[in-house]
């Protein structure tokens, strides 16, 4: 089985999560981890499971991830299982009532990524997940790499049942 992990990352935290996800599955599966700018359209044909992740920037995925998702052909993910993740700040660390209010409305990157993957006919195998950074530039909160590995294994198990 082939797994493709696609990510964007500004400060390196989402890249670390993408690698933790890929490494968790590598012993069992054929896994490729690619920065979004290195993905060629033909590479989307072949993987059984595609996992896409982005930093949350302004409640949304990065421009590069949005562009990538937009350019996938309609039905381009037919027969492909998909999953989505993001990195984000914990609202416990954000001392702004306005920001809390906005986050409640607009959320984080993983959900819109998952929605777009489904729109392109991908079959979502696990709920979108967020991994926490302690500041804008990181580092990741303790335990997040391990949590990402567990999430990846859950996605793989769900993919195999589905
Ligand atoms: C311009 C900008 C906008 C951001 N917007 C959000 C946001 O809306 N919600 C959030 O939780 N974190 C936000 N963050 C924090 C990012 O999520 C954090 O920088 C990112 O997870 C780090 O991942 P990276 O190291 O892969 O770039 C923002 C950071 C920047 C610099």
């Amino acid at each position: 089985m082939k797994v493709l992990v696609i990510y964007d990352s500004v400060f390196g935290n989402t890249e670390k999560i993408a690698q933790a996800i890929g490494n968790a599955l590598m012993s069992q599966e054929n896994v490729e981890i690619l920065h979004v700018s290195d993905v060629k359209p033909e590479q989307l044909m072949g993987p059984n499971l595609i996992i896409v992740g982005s930093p949350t920037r302004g409640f949304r995925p990065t421009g590069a991830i949005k562009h990538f998702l937009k350019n996938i052909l309609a039905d381009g993910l037919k027969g492909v299982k998909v999953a989505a993740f993001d990195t984000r700040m914990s609202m416990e660390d954000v001392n702004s009532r306005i920001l809390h209010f906005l986050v409640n409305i607009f959320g984080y990157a993983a959900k819109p990524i998952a929605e777009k993957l489904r729109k392109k006919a991908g079959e979502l195998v696990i709920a979108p997940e967020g991994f926490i950074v302690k500041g804008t530039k990181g580092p990741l909160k303790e335990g997040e790499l391990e949590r990402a590995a567990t999430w990846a294994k859950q996605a793989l198990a769900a993919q195999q049942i589905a």
Side-chain angles (χ1 to χ4, degrees):
M1 207 195 90
K2 219 174 146 191
V3 180
L4 178 58
V5 183
I6 298 169
Y7 70 92
D8 194 12
S9 186
V10 181
F11 303 115
N13 299 282
T14 317
E15 181 173 27
K16 284 187 186 140
I17 295 288
Q19 279 162 355
I21 287 169
N23 291 341
L25 307 181
M26 231 164 237
S27 60
Q28 291 159 273
E29 312 297 340
N30 171 1
V31 180
E32 200 167 7
I33 307 165
L34 290 177
H35 187 271
V36 64
S37 62
D38 296 328
V39 181
K40 297 181 188 73
E42 61 270 22
Q43 285 173 298
L44 300 183
M45 285 175 249
N48 309 77
L49 173 63
I50 296 180
I51 303 175
V52 180
S54 172
T56 302
R57 308 271 297 209
F59 318 104
R60 286 286 175 265
T62 62
I65 289 286
K66 282 194 271 192
H67 182 75
F68 161 75
L69 293 168
K70 187 166 174 258
N71 281 344
I72 299 174
L73 296 175
D75 282 353
L77 297 176
K78 206 173 172 125
V80 182
K81 305 289 197 302
V82 295
F85 69 95
D86 63 48
T87 55
R88 58 180 73 172
M89 308 268 287
S90 165
M91 277 308 111
E92 288 166 22
D93 297 333
V94 175
N95 192 13
S96 155
R97 287 180 68 178
I98 293 174
L99 213 50
H100 281 238
F101 175 74
L102 292 174
V103 164
N104 278 335
I105 297 172
F106 295 112
Y108 301 97
K111 200 170 160 206
I113 294 173
E115 281 166 2
K116 201 73 177 180
L117 291 169
R118 288 181 72 181
K119 216 173 150 192
K120 304 291 181 165
E123 192 185 324
L124 197 66
V125 291
I126 191 166
E129 188 57 280
F131 300 98
I132 305 295
V133 291
K134 295 206 279 191
T136 302
K137 295 186 178 177
L140 287 159
K141 192 179 143 197
E142 297 74 20
E144 290 304 76
L145 292 175
E146 294 75 11
R147 205 163 66 78
T150 303
W151 180 79
K153 285 177 190 161
Q154 286 167 351
L156 184 69
Q159 186 280 334
Q160 284 161 341
I161 296 162

